Amino acid sequence: MALNNTYDARLVQQETALGAGVQVLLLALIGTAIGMGPAGWLSGLAFAIATWAVLSRALHRSRLRSFGAANRVTLGRATLVGGVTALVADSFQSSPPVSLFVGLTAVALILDGVDGKVARRTGTSTPLGARFDMEVDAFLILVLSVYVSMQLGPWVLLIGGMRYVFVAAAKVWPWLTAALPPSTARKTVAALQGVLLLLAGADLLPYAANFAVAALALGLLVWSFGRDVLWLYRTHRTSRPEEPATAPQVRELIAG
C-alpha cells in the first residue's frame, strides 16, 4: 500500500465499512436470486460483521496510512467467501444452485493469486496484508470442507480444521510458531486444497471419484503439515538453549 505522510484512521476504516456494505449487497442479490433462508442470511451477515470488526481492529493497531490495492483485492475475495458461506449454510435446508456456488468459489480462488502479486509488484507487502490473506484462505477451505462433508462424510472436515488445530497446538507447544523455510511444495499443496474441494463439491464426477479427490486433498495436507511439524520439532530439539527464541507468529500452512 502506498503510504502517505499522515495517518488518518477514518480513511482506512471507511474502506472496511464499504466492504461490509458490499457484502450485504451481495447477500441481497443471492437472496433475491435463490430465495435464501434464515440460516444463509444469518451466516452471511455474521461473516460480514466479524470481518469488519476484526479487520478494523487490526488496521487501528497497525496504523496503516492507506488500505492499499492488495488489501482491496483480498477484501473483495473475502466478500465472495461471505457469499459462499451463506450458500453453504443455506444448503442444510436446500441445495444451492451449483453454478452459483462454483462461480463464487472459483473467482475467490483465482483472486487468491492476484492480491499477492499486486502487493509484490507495488512493494506494499505488510504483515497485516499477509495475515488477512491467510485468514480468508483458511476460512474458505473450512467452509468448502463443511459443504463437501455433507456429501462424503465428516472426515472431510479434517481438511478445513487442520490449520486451526495447528494454531491451537501452538498455544501448548510454542516451538510450533518458529519460522519455517520457504517451500514451493507447501504453497502448491495449499493452493490445491481449494481446487480439489471445489471439484468434489461441484459433484460433476461419480461419488467414488469425488471421494478420491477429497481423499487426495487430505493426504497432501497431512503430508505437508507432517513434514513441517517434523522440521519444527527437529529444529527445536537441536537448537542451543542460549540461542534467542524466534518471535512467535502464526505460520501459513494452508494459505498459498
Side-chain angles (χ1 to χ4, degrees):
M1 341 31 305
L3 301 181
N4 300 321
N5 293 327
T6 59
Y7 170 71
D8 189 343
R10 293 173 300 177
L11 295 179
V12 291
Q13 298 299 342
Q14 285 171 1
E15 300 216 38
T16 61
L18 178 61
V22 173
Q23 178 74 85
V24 174
L25 177 60
L26 177 61
L27 293 175
L29 293 174
I30 294 174
T32 302
I34 69 172
M36 192 163 58
W41 274 105
L42 290 174
S43 298
L45 290 174
F47 179 85
I49 294 172
T51 301
W52 169 79
V54 173
L55 186 56
S56 294
R57 177 180 173 84
L59 285 167
H60 178 71
R61 295 177 64 180
S62 64
R63 298 183 65 82
L64 291 179
R65 295 174 176 86
S66 172
F67 194 62
N71 280 340
R72 291 187 188 104
V73 175
T74 307
L75 185 58
R77 190 155 55 86
T79 300
L80 296 174
V81 172
V84 175
T85 301
L87 288 175
V88 171
D90 195 60
S91 69
F92 284 91
Q93 297 177 328
S94 59
S95 298
V98 175
S99 58
L100 181 59
F101 170 77
V102 171
L104 290 177
T105 305
V107 175
L109 291 173
I110 291 172
L111 289 178
D112 183 26
V114 174
D115 46 10
K117 290 181 179 179
V118 171
R120 289 188 294 271
R121 183 168 298 179
T122 58
T124 55
S125 299
T126 64
L128 173 62
R131 180 66 182 273
F132 185 26
D133 176 64
M134 178 179 65
E135 295 300 339
V136 172
D137 288 343
F139 193 79
L140 177 58
I141 297 302
L142 176 62
V143 171
L144 292 177
S145 68
V146 170
Y147 183 74
V148 176
S149 71
M150 290 188 285
Q151 306 170 35
L152 302 180
W155 62 272
V156 183
L157 295 174
L158 293 172
I159 298 174
M162 197 171 300
R163 184 255 176 183
Y164 296 99
V165 171
F166 178 86
V167 172
K171 302 293 184 181
V172 181
W173 299 293
W175 51 267
L176 289 172
T177 63
L180 285 164
S183 170
T184 301
R186 184 189 309 120
K187 292 182 178 181
T188 302
V189 170
L192 283 174
Q193 296 305 302
V195 175
L196 293 174
L197 285 174
L198 178 58
L199 179 60
D203 204 21
L204 299 174
L205 304 173
Y207 177 87
N210 287 332
F211 190 97
V213 167
L216 174 62
L218 178 59
L220 289 172
L221 196 60
V222 169
W223 170 80
S224 181
F225 266 93
R227 188 185 67 156
D228 285 340
V229 170
L230 182 60
W231 186 92
L232 290 168
Y233 177 73
R234 287 175 173 171
T235 302
H236 168 69
R237 289 291 302 271
T238 57
S239 62
R240 293 178 297 178
E242 64 271 19
E243 293 179 347
T246 305
Q249 54 182 304
V250 177
R251 290 294 94 213
E252 176 183 352
L253 294 178
I254 289 184

